[in-house]
Amino acid sequence: MSQRPSWQEPPTLAGQSTKGVTLGGVLLIVLVPLWIVVLTSLSTKGAINRAGGLVIWPDGITFEAYEEMLKGPTVRTALLVSLGITIIGTAISMVVSVLCAYGLSRSGSFGHRFILVLLIVTMFVSGGLIPTFLVVTGLGGYGQWWALILPGAVSVFNILILRSFYSSTAAELMDAARIDGASDWRILWSVILPTSRAVTAVIALFYAVGYWNSFFNVMLYMPTESEKWPLQYVLLTYVNRGVGMPGSVNAGFGMAHSQTAPLSLQMAVVVLTLVPLVIVYPFVQKHFRTGVLTGAIKG
């Protein structure tokens, strides 16, 4: 156990109690809704009726909602679409962001100050929704997969974080690599990226979560092509708007012969959208604090 610095006052009972109560309250705010959503998705129709809606306490557990949800092709296809968009989009975004950030971090690169200022200006001034829509559709993006990825493939904020980290990389390492005959590509691959795993993992997580949760571009560029919808737009259509999924016995929302309550199906779709993030986050969590703080402070 590390000793407390001499200049740091010992914690008081009131302070520790306040911290514990605050953290406990925040934890409850996060976990209670998640508990209700998961439990409702696993509840029977009778349990939901007795609870008058969302279920807070277990009263008959069943996986019928998940079986019915995965039985039809709608959710399975949407899940594959979301995974494809997330993987491909994150890869494209990371390649562009890393290359841009590395170029801007080298003070001797051509036009780096002008390009940096130009990028920062776009954080405060943009063309707007309608011009963006006209440009994408004018390029033939309406109804195309790339319209869900490329218009938002680059975040200037993420580029600035990467640039700040790359700028603080020890000059001795790069000078040694150049003496050994390494090119800029070799320095980026063998020196910069290995020393910036934390911030790279965090930025990749930012991009992946953004792609996984995105649905607005679907509303703009393929609102009627349900076979191309990602999972989040299916969730929006099925849960928020009360539209039934094609091929589901609950397509009418209230059919008497259905044994699975529509509410449990809605919550099952919500749970499905959370599962990939819950699986991935523990592998990135160890880098999260280090990456964000280091990328923000350095430089």
Side-chain angles (χ1 to χ4, degrees):
M1 182 177 179
S2 58
Q3 294 182 351
R4 184 177 300 276
S6 58
W7 50 264
Q8 188 173 5
E9 297 180 357
T12 62
L13 179 60
Q16 288 188 320
S17 300
T18 302
K19 291 179 182 179
V21 172
T22 302
L23 291 176
V26 173
L27 189 62
L28 288 176
I29 291 174
V30 174
L31 292 182
V32 169
L34 184 61
W35 164 264
I36 293 176
V37 168
V38 174
L39 190 58
T40 303
S41 70
L42 296 172
S43 297
T44 61
K45 188 174 183 179
I48 294 176
N49 291 336
R50 286 190 295 272
L54 296 173
V55 179
I56 301 177
W57 194 255
D59 183 15
I61 301 298
T62 179
F63 290 92
E64 291 180 359
Y66 292 92
E67 293 175 359
E68 183 173 334
M69 175 184 63
L70 298 175
K71 187 186 303 181
T74 304
V75 173
R76 294 202 306 267
T77 302
L79 180 60
L80 294 177
V81 170
S82 290
L83 289 174
I85 291 175
T86 301
I87 294 172
I88 297 174
T90 302
I92 293 175
S93 297
M94 287 303 299
V95 169
V96 175
S97 297
V98 167
L99 293 179
C100 182
Y102 177 70
L104 294 176
S105 67
R106 301 304 97 197
S107 58
S109 57
F110 176 76
H112 76 282
R113 290 189 178 277
F114 173 75
I115 296 175
L116 179 60
V117 172
L118 191 63
L119 288 175
I120 294 176
V121 168
T122 62
M123 297 179 65
F124 305 99
V125 180
S126 64
L129 178 60
I130 294 178
T132 301
F133 177 81
L134 293 177
V135 170
V136 174
T137 54
L139 294 174
Y142 193 86
Q144 302 297 318
W145 296 110
W146 65 263
L148 305 181
I149 298 176
L150 296 185
V154 177
S155 168
V156 176
F157 176 76
N158 292 339
I159 291 177
L160 294 180
I161 292 179
L162 290 171
R163 174 188 174 274
S164 176
F165 193 95
Y166 295 165
S167 298
S168 63
T169 302
E172 293 80 5
L173 293 176
M174 290 182 287
D175 291 340
R178 291 190 185 281
I179 292 175
D180 291 337
S183 63
D184 281 319
W185 292 101
R186 185 66 177 178
I187 292 174
L188 174 62
W189 182 258
S190 301
V191 178
I192 301 295
L193 290 180
T195 59
S196 59
R197 289 193 183 96
V199 70
T200 302
V202 171
I203 298 302
L205 179 64
F206 286 168
Y207 277 125
V209 172
Y211 282 114
W212 179 260
N213 290 330
S214 65
F215 62 86
F216 188 69
N217 282 352
V218 184
M219 299 172 62
L220 293 178
Y221 304 118
M222 50 179 63
T224 60
E225 303 179 57
S226 58
E227 70 279 358
K228 294 183 178 180
W229 287 354
L231 189 60
Q232 296 296 340
Y233 196 70
V234 170
L235 174 65
L236 172 69
T237 304
Y238 182 53
V239 177
N240 289 358
R241 297 179 179 175
V243 179
M245 290 185 295
S248 171
V249 297
N250 282 303
F253 262 38
M255 299 177 66
H257 64 274
S258 173
Q259 296 300 314
T260 307
L263 184 59
S264 64
L265 271 175
Q266 295 176 27
M267 296 302 104
V269 178
V270 173
V271 172
L272 184 62
T273 61
L274 296 175
V275 168
L277 297 181
V278 173
I279 294 175
V280 172
Y281 186 78
F283 297 97
V284 187
Q285 190 271 339
K286 64 180 181 179
H287 300 298
F288 196 82
R289 180 181 176 184
T290 303
V292 171
L293 292 180
T294 305
I297 295 174
K298 281 195 173 183

